[in-house]
Amino acid sequence: MGTDGTSRIDPAIGRRLRGLREARGLSLSELARRAGVGKATVSGLEHGTRNPTLETMYAIAAALSVPMSALTLDPGAPAGAASPVRGTAVLSTLLEVFRDPGATYEMFRLRILPGVEQASPAHPPGVTEHLSVVGGTIRTGPAAAPLTAGPGEHVSWAADVPHVYAALGGEEAHAILLIRTPHDRQGAAGAAGSAGEQAAQA
Amino acid sequence: MGTDGTSRIDPAIGRRLRGLREARGLSLSELARRAGVGKATVSGLEHGTRNPTLETMYAIAAALSVPMSALTLDPGAPAGAASPVRGTAVLSTLLEVFRDPGATYEMFRLRILPGVEQASPAHPPGVTEHLSVVGGTIRTGPAAAPLTAGPGEHVSWAADVPHVYAALGGEEAHAILLIRTPHDRQGAAGAAGSAGEQAAQA
DNA sequence: TACGACCGTTCCGTTTACGGAACGATTTCA
DNA sequence: TGAAATCGTTCCGTAAACGGAACGGTCGTA
């Protein structure tokens, strides 16, 4: 964008928009009218030749009665397509980071794919993990002594040893994970998963 | 801003962005640097005086390691349930309590029964709630301006005003709720962080 | 075959989001 | 105590997203 001059927005957004529009039997003109935006805007967007503002996206998403994330293709929407198997068993999304004088908390949403065991190396001493199962069955905890938990159950452990995550029963499992990192040392800030979404750490 | 000259982007986006940035201990300059955008852009965005492009939003969300929906927080869809009924709609289970020099964290599992609206009074200033939906559809947040979120979505708000929880769509909903109560370091209000007990009923 | 209604695309002037630079205010350190 | 670094805000020229208008193409209908 800034320097290269060849910025082009993800063409998948345009394809998805066109799909949603046609699924509703709307013409481009009609969608533009309902959304209160110009036809040129919708056309350019569907062709991926525009970099829309948030306001434009809101207007169009509202006219289509979909959440904006249906257009932006955030992670999270299975929506078929795209092979879900990516070589890592745990797809995590960072929800929040809380930084306090005493500790940093990171709150993740985990999607654990079945049939694979995801190992995680030891964190620094003092780090604890707190996992609450919300769907499926998860075997997790220290690699030496993992525990099995089902929906509604909660597992905590000291994460200064290698630990594992695995979904049992052939089903994908879901969980909320809270990682607490005390600040007794010079804390590395939110260095976790700087690559963006769907980092497979934890 | 098509016809009316008074379009202004939702200021909640700016507040949320600032919150996420500060939670990571990042300066505005540092975030701008990491995201590859101008400081003026981040500043204007946090103040709600700009209508960012999708590209800008992607860059900033990536720099914060959050999905874009963590910043955009779709304004909710129409309410599903008819007229809500009051009652003890929320069954909460306390999973963990973390006490730190800076704040106390309480992690709950919520089961929200359908068709009723559970109101919660204001917590002391500084308390924030962070709710991650794991099943069903939940309408929650400040009573004055609640949001609707579905599975995988995440909502945060300042809990120093009355707030509500309701399950939409006639289904029971599930969520993980994290309540953060900062410890009073200024001594302004004498009641140092002992808000734990009343928070226990969300 | 002419005609009006609508389609999606392209052109164009206006508006505005963009990054860089300059600014004053703090903080850090010699 | 001054110089340097960094903070967040503001100013400004440029690039581009915007809506409206004009365009050619396609479809019913007279």
Side-chain angles (χ1 to χ4, degrees):
Chain A
M1 64 162 87
T3 54
D4 65 350
T6 58
S7 88
R8 202 134 312 285
I9 209 62
D10 187 351
I13 292 179
R15 269 183 270 117
R16 163 142 312 197
L17 168 58
R18 175 157 291 189
L20 284 167
R21 172 172 69 78
E22 293 179 343
R24 286 162 177 68
L26 292 176
S27 70
L28 187 149
S29 305
E30 177 62 19
L31 174 59
R33 201 171 305 124
R34 294 192 188 187
V37 305
K39 294 199 291 181
T41 300
V42 178
S43 178
L45 235 175
E46 290 193 354
H47 287 269
T49 58
R50 281 205 191 181
N51 173 22
T53 63
L54 213 54
E55 192 174 18
T56 299
M57 291 298 281
Y58 274 136
I60 292 178
L64 290 170
S65 302
V66 297
M68 225 191 66
S69 54
L71 295 174
T72 57
L73 289 178
D74 259 358
S83 60
V85 184
R86 211 168 312 234
T88 56
V90 179
L91 306 181
S92 66
T93 303
L94 179 59
L95 299 173
E96 293 280 350
V97 174
F98 309 91
R99 176 166 248 262
D100 278 301
T104 293
Y105 292 81
E106 293 165 290
M107 190 176 181
F108 293 88
R109 190 170 77 90
L110 299 188
R111 237 180 86 210
I112 306 179
L113 304 182
V116 195
E117 181 164 298
Q118 171 77 37
S120 178
H123 293 302
V127 175
T128 50
E129 301 201 358
H130 309 267
L131 183 145
S132 184
V133 181
V134 299
T137 305
I138 298 177
R139 188 163 179 79
T140 187
L147 296 169
T148 299
E153 295 185 302
H154 186 76
V155 182
S156 299
W157 66 92
D160 58 354
V161 297
H163 44 286
V164 298
Y165 307 87
L168 304 183
E171 291 177 307
E172 183 176 303
H174 296 258
I176 301 292
L177 176 69
L178 193 69
I179 302 183
R180 177 177 183 275
T181 305
H183 283 169
D184 41 23
R185 274 228 168 258
Q186 191 65 287
S194 61
E197 81 272 12
Q198 293 186 337
Q201 87 288 50
Chain B
M1 52 216 50
T3 53
D4 67 339
T6 61
S7 89
R8 213 31 80 218
I9 209 62
D10 186 352
I13 292 178
R15 270 183 272 115
R16 182 163 184 79
L17 168 57
R18 175 157 292 190
L20 285 166
R21 172 172 68 78
E22 291 180 345
R24 287 160 177 69
L26 291 177
S27 70
L28 187 150
S29 305
E30 177 63 19
L31 173 60
R33 201 171 305 126
R34 293 192 189 187
V37 305
K39 294 198 292 181
T41 299
V42 178
S43 177
L45 236 175
E46 290 193 355
H47 285 98
T49 59
R50 280 205 192 180
N51 172 21
T53 64
L54 213 53
E55 194 172 17
T56 298
M57 290 298 281
Y58 273 135
I60 290 178
L64 290 171
S65 302
V66 297
M68 225 191 65
S69 55
L71 295 174
T72 58
L73 272 191
D74 285 297
S83 51
V85 184
R86 282 189 162 249
T88 50
V90 179
L91 309 179
S92 64
T93 306
L94 180 60
L95 300 173
E96 294 279 348
V97 175
F98 311 91
R99 181 169 287 270
D100 275 302
T104 294
Y105 292 81
E106 292 160 289
M107 190 177 182
F108 293 89
R109 154 176 301 278
L110 300 187
R111 235 181 87 209
I112 307 178
L113 305 181
V116 289
E117 180 166 300
Q118 171 77 41
S120 177
H123 294 303
V127 175
T128 51
E129 300 202 358
H130 309 267
L131 184 146
S132 186
V133 182
V134 300
T137 304
I138 296 177
R139 187 161 180 80
T140 188
L147 295 168
T148 301
E153 293 186 303
H154 186 75
V155 182
S156 299
W157 66 90
D160 58 355
V161 296
H163 43 287
V164 298
Y165 308 86
L168 304 182
E171 293 177 307
E172 185 176 300
H174 296 259
I176 300 293
L177 176 70
L178 193 68
I179 302 183
R180 177 179 183 272
T181 305
H183 295 168
D184 196 342
R185 49 182 36 220
Q186 192 74 351
S194 63
E197 70 280 358
Q198 69 169 315
Q201 193 41 272

